[in-house]
């Protein structure tokens, strides 16, 4: 186990370095965003004073050393822009991302799994053909376009749902009306995200199932006279589970990275939008904090996927043993 | 059945919230905490800030300075001494706003270890005296022509009793001001909520409650407006949406000029853009009117060769329009300069330099990008190639204005660039055109003309408006002749608002509808 996590540790350390140096390799200075256009009116000494204030005048390697030192103590630094602790900013946005991406992941996985299994079972039938074409179409649809289309339909043409935000900005709702308000705001972004991410899992499930349904043991199960539902879901799906689980775990890893496009279209206050805003503002501490957080979750879920893989498939365990 | 009813009631409650008696306004991005040290953008950030804080003077609806916190502003000693008598004003917490607060604020911006956006505006002040609680005397070492607009009408006054012990102003979270609104809530990344200041000195404030929500996408903003989920937006309508909103009886449109400038910037330090004759040829080929008509669907004012907007108080009508040249005229002039057509039709100079240049344009600004493409088409028939290169905006700024310090040089030939409204508002001609980097801190093309240097220096120390007009007029004529850049257009803004929710909007010349006057009688 320890040996197995070693490569992941290495990847994480590498990611740490990349997260630090990559944003700084972008041309353009954070000064404009710290000070606005007025930066042009400042004397070179005053500009230098600002750089010193933010520790940006030091050599890059020294900055990296300081960053690592603080990181060990659990300090991700302060945002250049808002001067708030990065960790606090991330945790303010995290619940919204988890809600939106989590909902979409559950819906798209559930739907993808069900449709994938049915598609494979009734391969070539009407359901298979329509869902296959539908999935490929949805996959090709840009998220912002689909989002705009849904807004035009369900917020403007039929004024049923809100266009922006995660809850009503001015209302101090409580209890069920609060929950309902959040759900109403969730519908369109979650639907957009579900539809655009449905195709991945659906296609994997469909192929994996088509493959397993042709295996001898499935024929045997059928020959034994087992009910079809048991054959498909117990015998075939279990054996097709490996690639499906892997894909699901990978999606879990990128769950916290949110959905930049959908969060932007629906002005949803999640981490994806925060990433976009921090990148365009050259807010290095926030950017580093976010990338660190994302890398960490990808690494952790990959590791988990591997562990789960061994548990699910005894062959892997035995091959190692 | 019972359950269904309860659900319907919830639904009705939530739906009816959208029709509550308050104004919901959208802005495109988060503005941080609203203090003079933490707000983010010049527009609409500063405008939101000015709903909470006040300045001694204020640009009126036409952009001319008038007393605001000040009852009276008297200038003596040839523009060196300013005596300000304050109105009887209270802070949001009920304490009186006194001359001590003014002195404290101006000194705080200047001395504080954190350089703020207002540091440069108070830098030159040599002394501030407070003979009594309502009188402030400010002394300058030399006269400053633009002191009213660039300092008195720009620098927010802070409450001393709240800020005097604050050592990290950027981290301080308190927005007690004296302005028409009190900030009551911020939801990070989502919204700001304000309540009207019931005892505002400038008059009765409406509406009682103002909610500012963040909607990132332009299209989503206007969909929310159409769906009635917001009543106004700080964004101007996209040109293609204007007629739709105009036809809809639920909306009222407010139109006016903005002083944002859009330029084709030359690097006048590199050949052939170092020759005025060559720049004149480009000016003769580029047709700003066609850009306004095609790219902006007519929703803009064609740029003046003298840079200042025709509606700005110091505008010189004699700067006229850019002289157009016919293709044969251009061909003749290029021949005279020694540029002959090569085998591929592109002209080549005597020294072998091909007339092929990179034109940098910001990738996030489709209008400037399309304008750049159009310019490239307009110069092509003369055998001049502009390769349009879209760059991420920060990267572009880094090449045109490295480290925001014109003394650091520049790394481009041509760029689509522009300045926000205050540069024209405050007629900052010295910053734009002076050849010394310390004075011409916005002179990103490296333009140099000794007469312009001395004229702009005089402009900066002249207080008398008539004399300022004369000096500014001469600068504009010289700039129109030398063409350090081409002023292509200033956008005309059209805002759509829902009058049924709130209808007190006022368009402040050059600035738009998000200003104090929109919320005062």
């Amino acid at each position: 186990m320890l040996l197995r996590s070693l490569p992941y540790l290495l990847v994480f350390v590498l990611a740490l370095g990349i997260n630090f140096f990559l944003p700084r390799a972008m041309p353009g200075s954070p000064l404009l965003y710290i000070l606005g256009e007025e930066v042009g009116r400042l004397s070179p000494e005053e500009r230098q004073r600002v750089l010193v204030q933010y520790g940006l005048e030091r050599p890059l390697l020294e900055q990296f050393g300081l960053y690592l030192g603080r990181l060990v103590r659990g300090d991700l630094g302060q945002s250049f822009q808002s001067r708030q602790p990065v960790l606090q900013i991330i945790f303010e946005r995290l619940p919204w991302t988890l809600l939106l991406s989590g909902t979409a992941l559950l819906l798209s996985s559930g739907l993808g799994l069900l449709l994938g299994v049915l598609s494979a079972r009734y391969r070539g039938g009407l359901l298979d053909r329509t869902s296959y074409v539908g999935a490929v179409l949805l996959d090709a649809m840009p998220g912002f376009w689909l989002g705009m289309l849904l807004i035009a339909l369900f917020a403007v043409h039929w004024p049923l749902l809100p266009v922006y935000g995660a809850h009503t900005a001015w209302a101090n709702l409580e209890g069920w009306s609060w929950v309902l308000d959040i759900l109403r705001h969730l519908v369109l972004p979650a639907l957009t995200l579900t539809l655009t991410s449905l195709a991945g899992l659906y296609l994997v499930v469909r192929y994996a199932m088509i493959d397993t349904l042709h295996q001898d043991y499935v024929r045997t199960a059928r020959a034994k006279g087992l009910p079809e539902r048991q054959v498909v879901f117990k015998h075939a799906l279990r054996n097709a589970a490996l690639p499906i689980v892997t894909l699901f775990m990978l999606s879990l890893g990128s769950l916290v990275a949110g959905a930049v496009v959908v969060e932007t279209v629906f002005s949803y206050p999640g981490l994806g939008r925060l990433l976009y805003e921090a990148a365009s503002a050259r807010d290095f501490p926030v950017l580093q904090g976010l990338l660190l957080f994302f890398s960490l979750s990808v690494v952790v879920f990959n590791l988990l996927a591997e562990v789960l893989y061994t548990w699910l498939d005894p062959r892997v365990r035995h091959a190692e043993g | 059945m019972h359950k269904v009813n309860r659900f319907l009631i919830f639904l009705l409650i939530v739906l009816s919230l959208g029709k509550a008696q308050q104004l919901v306004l959208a802005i495109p991005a988060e503005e941080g905490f609203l203090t003079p040290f933490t707000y983010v953008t010049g527009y609409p950030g500063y405008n939101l800030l000015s709903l909470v804080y006040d300045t001694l003077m204020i640009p009126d609806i036409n952009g001319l300075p008038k007393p605001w916190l000040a009852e009276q502003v008297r200038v003596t000693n040839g523009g060196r001494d300013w005596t300000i008598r304050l109105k009887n004003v209270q802070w949001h917490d009920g304490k009186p706003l006194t001359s001590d607060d003014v002195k404290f604020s101006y000194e705080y911006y200047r001395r504080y270890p954190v350089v703020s956006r207002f540091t440069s505006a108070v830098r030159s002040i040599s002394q501030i005296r407070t003979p009594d609680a309502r009188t402030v005397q400010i002394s300058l070492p030399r006269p400053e022509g633009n002191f009213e607009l660039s300092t008195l009408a720009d620098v927010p006054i802070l409450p001393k009793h709240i800020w005097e012990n604050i050592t990290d102003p950027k981290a301080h979270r308190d927005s007690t001001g004296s302005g028409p609104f009190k900030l009551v809530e911020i939801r990070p990344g989502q919204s700001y909520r304000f309540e009207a200041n019931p005892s505002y000195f400038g008059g009765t404030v409406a509406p009682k409650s103002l909610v500012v929500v963040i909607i990132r996408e332009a299209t989503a903003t206007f969909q929310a407006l159409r769906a009635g989920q917001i009543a106004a937006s700080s964004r101007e309508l996209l040109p293609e949406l204007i007629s739709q909103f105009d036809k809809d009886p639920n909306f009222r449109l407010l139109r006016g000029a903005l002083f944002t400038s859009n330029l084709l910037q030359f690097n006048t330090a590199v050949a052939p853009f170092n020759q005025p004759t060559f720049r004149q040829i480009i000016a003769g080929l580029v047709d700003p009117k066609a850009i306004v008509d095609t790219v902006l669907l007519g929703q803009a004012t064609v740029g003046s060769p003298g840079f200042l907007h025709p509606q700005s108080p110091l505008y010189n009508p004699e700067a006229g329009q850019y002289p157009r040249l016919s293709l044969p005229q251009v061909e003749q002039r290029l021949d005279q300069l020694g540029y002959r057509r090569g085998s591929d039709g592109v002209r080549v100079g005597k020294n072998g330099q091909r007339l092929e240049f990179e034109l940098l344009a910001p990738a996030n600004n489709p209008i400037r990008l399309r304008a750049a493409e159009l310019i490239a088409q307009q110069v092509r028939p003369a055998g001049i190639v502009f390769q349009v290169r879209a760059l991420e905006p920060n990267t572009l700024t880094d090449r045109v204005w490295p480290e925001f310090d014109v003394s650091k040089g520049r790394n481009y030939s041509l760029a689509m660039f522009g300045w926000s409204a205050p540069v024209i508002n405050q007629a900052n001609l010295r910053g734009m055109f002076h050849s010394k980097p310390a004075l011409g801190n916005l002179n990103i093309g490296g333009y140099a003309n000794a007469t312009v240097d001395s004229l702009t220096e005089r402009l900066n120390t002249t207080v008398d408006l008539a004399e300022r007009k004369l000096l500014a007029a001469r600068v504009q004529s010289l700039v129109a002749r030398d063409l350090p850049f081409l002023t292509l257009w200033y956008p005309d803004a059209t805002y759509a608002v829902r009058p049924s929710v709130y209808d007190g909007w006022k368009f402040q010349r050059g600035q738009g509808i998000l200003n104090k006057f929109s919320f005062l009688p």
Side-chain angles (χ1 to χ4, degrees):
Chain A
M1 182 65 201
L2 199 69
L3 203 65
R4 187 179 297 149
S5 41
L6 210 62
Y8 287 98
L9 198 68
L10 198 70
V11 166
F12 181 68
V13 171
L14 256 175
L16 213 61
I18 294 173
N19 291 347
F20 181 86
F21 289 103
L22 206 60
R24 284 173 170 74
M26 291 194 287
S29 150
L31 267 187
L32 181 64
Y33 291 92
I34 294 173
L35 289 167
E37 208 177 69
E38 295 302 310
V39 69
R41 286 214 239 166
L42 299 184
S43 64
E45 298 75 47
E46 284 167 332
R47 270 196 292 270
Q48 185 62 22
R49 242 164 73 193
V50 181
L51 289 177
V52 170
Q53 175 109 31
Y54 288 88
L56 289 165
E57 91 294 359
R58 299 164 192 258
L60 262 187
L61 273 177
E62 196 185 327
Q63 288 185 44
F64 187 50
L66 286 173
Y67 168 64
L68 289 181
R70 278 197 298 264
L71 199 61
V72 171
R73 281 175 270 132
D75 177 8
L76 291 184
Q78 283 186 333
S79 154
F80 283 169
Q81 231 177 47
S82 73
R83 270 306 185 104
Q84 290 195 309
V86 170
L87 215 55
Q88 184 190 332
I89 300 177
I90 291 181
F91 281 119
E92 267 166 9
R93 306 283 191 109
L94 183 64
W96 296 120
T97 284
L98 289 180
L99 179 66
L100 172 61
S101 304
T103 309
L105 184 66
L106 282 182
L107 286 177
S108 64
S109 309
L111 217 61
L113 192 70
L114 190 71
L115 279 177
V117 170
L118 293 176
S119 241
R121 172 64 189 80
Y122 304 104
R123 192 179 172 199
L126 186 66
L127 180 96
D128 180 36
R129 274 182 294 171
T130 40
S131 51
Y132 185 81
V133 172
V136 172
L137 266 180
L138 283 174
D139 198 35
M141 255 181 219
F144 69 87
W145 185 82
L146 187 64
M148 282 299 164
L149 189 73
L150 291 176
I151 286 179
L153 287 177
F154 297 106
V156 182
H157 188 76
W158 297 295
L160 299 170
L161 293 166
V163 177
Y164 64 91
H167 55 157
T168 307
W170 53 88
N172 286 314
L173 299 172
E174 280 171 6
W176 281 108
S177 39
W178 179 70
V179 173
L180 193 67
D181 184 48
I182 287 178
L183 288 180
R184 287 185 67 236
H185 284 81
L186 185 63
V187 174
L188 289 185
L191 186 63
T192 311
L193 203 53
T194 304
L195 290 177
T196 46
S197 52
L198 182 65
L201 198 79
Y202 164 78
L203 291 175
V204 169
V205 173
R206 185 176 173 274
Y207 287 129
M209 282 297 284
I210 287 176
D211 191 42
T212 12
L213 282 172
H214 284 106
Q215 298 294 327
D216 291 341
Y217 56 82
V218 172
R219 198 174 311 135
T220 314
R222 282 205 179 113
K224 283 197 294 186
L226 289 177
E228 183 64 14
R229 188 185 293 179
Q230 207 177 336
V231 173
V232 172
F233 286 97
K234 211 170 165 191
H235 290 78
L237 185 58
R238 262 196 166 174
N239 284 291
L242 280 185
I244 301 170
V245 168
T246 313
L247 188 71
F248 183 77
M249 293 308 284
L250 290 184
S251 313
L252 267 183
S254 55
L255 179 75
V256 291
V260 181
V261 174
V262 172
E263 286 183 3
T264 305
V265 169
F266 291 95
S267 306
Y268 212 79
L271 292 180
R273 216 183 90 199
L274 185 65
L275 178 74
Y276 173 69
E277 281 161 8
S280 40
R282 303 288 190 269
D283 196 335
F284 294 148
V286 175
L287 213 51
Q288 270 155 222
L290 279 173
L291 293 175
L292 176 76
F293 196 66
F294 298 160
S295 337
L296 194 66
S297 74
V298 169
V299 168
V300 166
F301 279 104
N302 268 294
L303 186 63
L304 268 179
E306 205 176 307
V307 173
L308 206 64
Y309 211 93
T310 338
W311 179 73
L312 277 174
D313 190 349
R315 283 171 302 181
V316 179
R317 202 164 45 219
H318 291 309
E320 273 187 5
Chain B
M1 190 61 207
H2 185 64
K3 267 187 183 164
V4 174
N5 271 341
R6 265 218 323 232
F7 177 79
L8 280 176
I9 289 167
F10 280 139
L11 199 69
L12 279 175
I13 290 173
V14 177
L15 285 174
S16 63
L17 283 167
K19 298 182 181 73
Q21 289 305 307
Q22 64 191 331
L23 174 61
V24 184
L25 170 95
I27 57 169
E30 183 159 11
E31 288 293 345
F33 200 84
L34 289 185
T35 76
F37 300 96
T38 49
Y39 79 97
V40 182
T41 63
Y43 177 87
Y46 180 78
N47 306 58
L48 284 186
L49 185 78
S50 71
L51 299 182
V52 182
Y53 292 89
D54 282 307
T55 45
L56 294 175
M57 297 182 87
I58 194 171
D60 70 7
I61 216 83
N62 295 315
L64 292 168
K66 73 169 185 181
W68 193 244
L69 281 173
E71 197 169 71
Q72 190 195 38
V73 177
R74 218 152 39 90
V75 53
T76 49
N77 194 12
R80 287 181 189 82
D81 292 338
W82 298 75
T83 307
I84 293 136
R85 177 86 188 145
L86 295 173
K87 285 178 186 149
N88 189 3
V89 175
Q90 286 174 349
W91 294 108
H92 290 156
D93 59 11
K95 296 207 165 76
L97 189 156
T98 68
S99 54
D100 266 352
D101 292 309
V102 177
K103 180 177 159 74
F104 168 80
S105 307
Y106 279 24
E107 288 176 351
Y108 193 78
Y109 289 121
R110 185 169 50 171
R111 112 181 103 82
Y112 227 75
V114 177
V115 177
S116 86
R117 131 100 169 74
F118 301 103
T119 304
S120 64
V122 293
R123 192 164 38 200
S124 61
I125 295 172
S126 53
Q127 199 183 17
I128 304 176
R129 278 178 303 255
T130 53
D132 64 59
R134 303 251 310 263
T135 310
V136 187
Q137 290 172 335
I138 299 174
S139 304
L140 304 171
R142 67 197 90 78
E144 269 188 50
N146 217 11
F147 193 63
E148 292 184 337
L149 276 178
S150 67
T151 305
L152 299 180
D154 192 49
V155 179
I157 304 301
L158 299 164
K160 181 182 174 188
H161 61 280
I162 284 174
W163 288 87
E164 60 186 337
N165 296 320
I166 302 302
T167 50
D168 186 359
K170 278 209 169 253
H172 189 56
R173 303 267 174 274
D174 184 305
S175 288
T176 305
S178 58
F181 286 97
K182 295 177 187 181
L183 178 66
V184 289
E185 188 192 27
I186 297 183
R187 295 186 181 175
Q190 302 176 69
S191 62
Y192 297 83
R193 198 156 58 82
F194 302 87
E195 265 168 24
N197 174 2
S199 49
Y200 191 55
F201 70 91
T204 313
V205 182
K208 289 288 165 254
S209 170
L210 171 69
V211 180
V212 176
V213 296
I214 297 160
I215 306 185
R216 187 94 214 174
E217 270 289 303
T219 321
T221 306
F222 298 120
Q223 294 285 41
L225 188 59
R226 193 171 286 155
Q229 294 178 14
I230 57 174
S233 162
S234 72
R235 281 182 199 267
E236 308 117 53
L237 279 181
L238 302 172
E240 58 270 28
L241 293 178
I242 291 174
S243 68
Q244 273 180 43
F245 276 92
D246 205 10
K247 277 183 226 139
D248 190 331
N250 292 316
F251 295 99
R252 184 162 79 88
L253 300 193
L254 291 107
R255 299 168 203 262
L258 294 187
F259 288 174
T260 328
S261 50
N262 290 270
L263 317 174
L264 172 63
Q265 177 72 50
F266 301 118
N267 178 355
T268 64
V270 298
F273 300 105
N274 54 355
Q275 311 165 50
T277 43
F278 190 81
R279 300 198 295 263
Q280 280 155 8
I281 291 173
I282 302 293
L285 285 167
V286 172
D287 182 0
K289 177 82 171 56
I291 296 175
V292 167
D293 289 343
T294 318
V295 182
L296 292 122
L297 306 178
Q299 303 295 325
T301 302
V302 172
S304 157
F307 178 62
L308 291 188
H309 192 287
Q311 285 193 23
S312 85
L314 297 186
Y315 171 68
N316 172 13
E318 280 163 29
Q321 299 285 321
Y322 289 104
R324 304 271 300 134
L325 296 174
S326 67
L327 194 56
Q329 285 172 316
V330 169
E331 303 258 13
Q332 194 193 353
R333 290 192 192 190
L334 284 170
D335 287 341
Q336 279 167 3
L337 287 175
Y339 295 103
R340 305 275 165 202
R341 282 197 188 260
S343 54
D344 57 354
V346 179
R347 287 179 181 267
V348 184
K350 285 180 197 132
N351 53 1
Q353 188 192 14
R354 270 166 69 83
L355 293 187
E356 184 169 355
F357 313 96
E358 212 176 46
L359 168 55
L360 308 183
N364 69 334
N365 188 329
I367 293 192
R368 281 192 191 160
L369 254 178
R370 275 183 251 161
E373 299 281 358
L374 207 59
I375 289 171
Q377 279 176 29
Q378 290 169 348
V379 299
R380 189 68 188 81
I384 304 171
V385 177
F386 287 177
Q387 299 279 8
V388 176
R389 175 127 190 253
L391 290 180
E392 187 264 344
N394 239 310
T395 312
L396 188 147
T397 310
D398 196 51
R399 286 190 53 182
V400 175
W401 194 17
E403 296 173 53
F404 312 104
D405 182 351
V406 294
S407 71
K408 295 271 156 74
R410 48 198 72 83
N411 175 20
Y412 73 102
S413 302
L414 293 159
M416 300 299 290
F417 211 79
W419 300 99
S420 61
V423 179
I424 288 184
N425 244 5
Q426 301 173 7
N428 184 6
L429 298 181
R430 190 183 71 172
M432 289 291 295
F433 301 116
H434 202 288
S435 61
K436 282 203 192 105
L439 303 177
N441 50 11
L442 308 179
N443 184 359
I444 50 173
Y447 171 62
N449 178 324
T451 318
V452 170
D453 284 357
S454 77
L455 285 171
T456 54
E457 278 172 38
R458 278 173 60 198
L459 179 67
N460 265 47
T461 55
T462 304
V463 182
D464 179 66
L465 187 63
E467 207 178 322
R468 284 173 65 76
K469 272 189 181 167
L470 278 175
L471 289 165
R474 288 184 61 199
V475 176
Q476 289 170 77
S477 300
L478 288 170
V479 167
R481 191 198 66 194
D482 290 351
L483 304 171
F485 50 76
L486 303 184
T487 312
L488 302 168
W489 78 89
Y490 326 91
D492 286 344
T494 304
Y495 299 90
V497 299
R498 280 186 171 265
S500 58
V501 180
Y502 182 69
D503 202 22
W505 301 102
K506 293 169 191 82
F507 197 110
Q508 186 179 27
R509 186 183 285 183
Q511 302 272 12
I513 59 167
L514 190 48
N515 59 70
K516 279 194 183 103
F517 303 113
S518 278
F519 305 104
L520 293 173

